[in-house]
Amino acid sequence: MPLPRFRSLPLVAVLAGVAVPAAHAQSSTDGQAHWTLGIGATWSPSPYRSYDNKAWPLPLVNYEGKSFYFRGASFGYRLYKTPNDEISVLVSPLANRFRHDDSNDARLRRLSDRDISGMGGIAWKHTADWGVLQASAQKEFTGHGGGTSLDANYAYPIRKGALTLTPTLGVTRANGALNDYYYGVSGREAARSGLASYRAGSGTAPWLGLAAMYRLSPSWITAAGMRYTVLPDAVKDSPMVGDDHTQSFFLSLSHVF
């Protein structure tokens, strides 16, 4: 496999789908706005066949205001908030992307590119002593088939002094329109590439994440983590795909204002 190399990429493309620890976002219950600024890097090997995987440098920006928030690459507006519950509308990118020039497979190099998608919808978050529950429902709005994605996850922060470990268990379901845009092979693409035509259906992907946050000082935080996702049959059966899972890794250093 080629060694990962760095290339610039817009913030929304590198942050989406990477588990930025919740501790990076300051609580806004005091009515004051809070910022977290930092730098980091992420590496997420692609499930596409013979793909040139790269590590990405990235800026980190989080903002928690009274009504608005910006968490990683997700922008939200709170419709309802209590000390334990939050309901918001949000816009975020789906960072899946395929560039045929980044594949070393001669057949995949004849396929069309797949771009990052914009997603919009609603999200719910519940915080309790026993952990954090989150759920969201979003629809693609950037002309890539209008697919939908549902996600639900449970996290349990474990605090030991300056260290916080946060294991997370979740599940994401994408409908056929969304999966087909990224993993389907049209008849025209099949004819010019030699791959079998393929129409992807809906699928459910369970995932497991683990994030570690260490507070170096009242103002400085370092964090690292990973996410492991099991691909559904609708994705792994695609002739474009050569794996049955994906992984994401990140490392960051941030300053809290």
Side-chain angles (χ1 to χ4, degrees):
M1 183 179 67
L3 290 174
R5 54 191 173 89
F6 288 87
R7 182 186 297 176
S8 62
L9 193 68
L11 174 64
V12 294
V14 293
L15 284 182
V18 178
V20 178
H24 272 201
Q26 292 297 298
S27 170
S28 59
T29 56
D30 59 2
Q32 301 297 316
H34 298 279
W35 288 90
T36 304
L37 303 178
I39 57 172
T42 180
W43 184 51
S44 182
S46 171
Y48 293 117
R49 293 183 182 277
S50 304
Y51 207 72
D52 187 9
N53 297 306
K54 306 169 184 70
W56 303 106
L58 62 139
L60 290 174
V61 181
N62 288 283
Y63 171 76
E64 292 287 331
K66 183 177 181 180
S67 297
F68 292 95
Y69 62 80
F70 187 71
R71 299 169 183 166
S74 296
F75 175 79
Y77 176 79
R78 297 182 182 89
L79 301 174
Y80 173 79
K81 181 174 176 60
T82 69
N84 298 103
D85 288 282
E86 175 185 284
I87 298 175
S88 58
V89 291
L90 78 161
V91 176
S92 63
L94 179 63
N96 290 3
R97 190 180 73 163
F98 172 77
R99 289 288 180 268
H100 64 266
D101 287 342
D102 286 338
S103 176
N104 297 313
D105 187 302
R107 298 170 300 172
L108 267 64
R109 292 179 70 88
R110 296 185 176 93
L111 300 182
S112 301
D113 291 339
R114 275 72 161 168
D115 295 320
I116 293 167
S117 295
M119 307 289 288
I122 191 165
W124 167 70
K125 179 181 179 180
H126 178 76
T127 304
D129 293 338
W130 42 263
V132 180
L133 278 176
Q134 297 188 91
S136 65
Q138 293 183 276
K139 182 176 177 61
E140 187 272 323
F141 59 82
T142 45
H144 300 158
T148 59
S149 176
L150 307 174
D151 184 83
N153 63 80
Y154 167 73
Y156 185 74
I158 304 169
R159 297 177 177 85
K160 297 291 184 180
L163 176 67
T164 300
L165 295 175
T166 307
T168 306
L169 181 64
V171 61
T172 301
R173 181 170 181 82
N175 74 346
L178 199 60
N179 282 335
D180 195 56
Y181 175 74
Y182 288 105
Y183 305 107
V185 179
S186 68
R188 184 174 298 180
E189 287 181 313
R192 70 172 183 258
S193 68
L195 291 171
S197 62
Y198 182 74
R199 187 172 181 83
S202 60
T204 301
W207 57 271
L208 177 67
L210 178 64
M213 184 276 290
Y214 188 80
R215 189 172 290 275
L216 300 170
S217 73
S219 299
W220 287 97
I221 295 171
T222 185
M226 59 80 64
R227 175 167 162 168
Y228 181 93
T229 302
V230 179
L231 297 177
D233 290 342
V235 173
K236 66 184 181 183
D237 289 346
S238 167
M240 297 178 65
V241 174
D243 215 332
D244 61 1
H245 69 278
T246 62
Q247 302 170 79
S248 298
F249 306 90
F250 77 91
L251 179 68
S252 68
L253 176 66
S254 301
H255 185 270
V256 180
F257 295 88

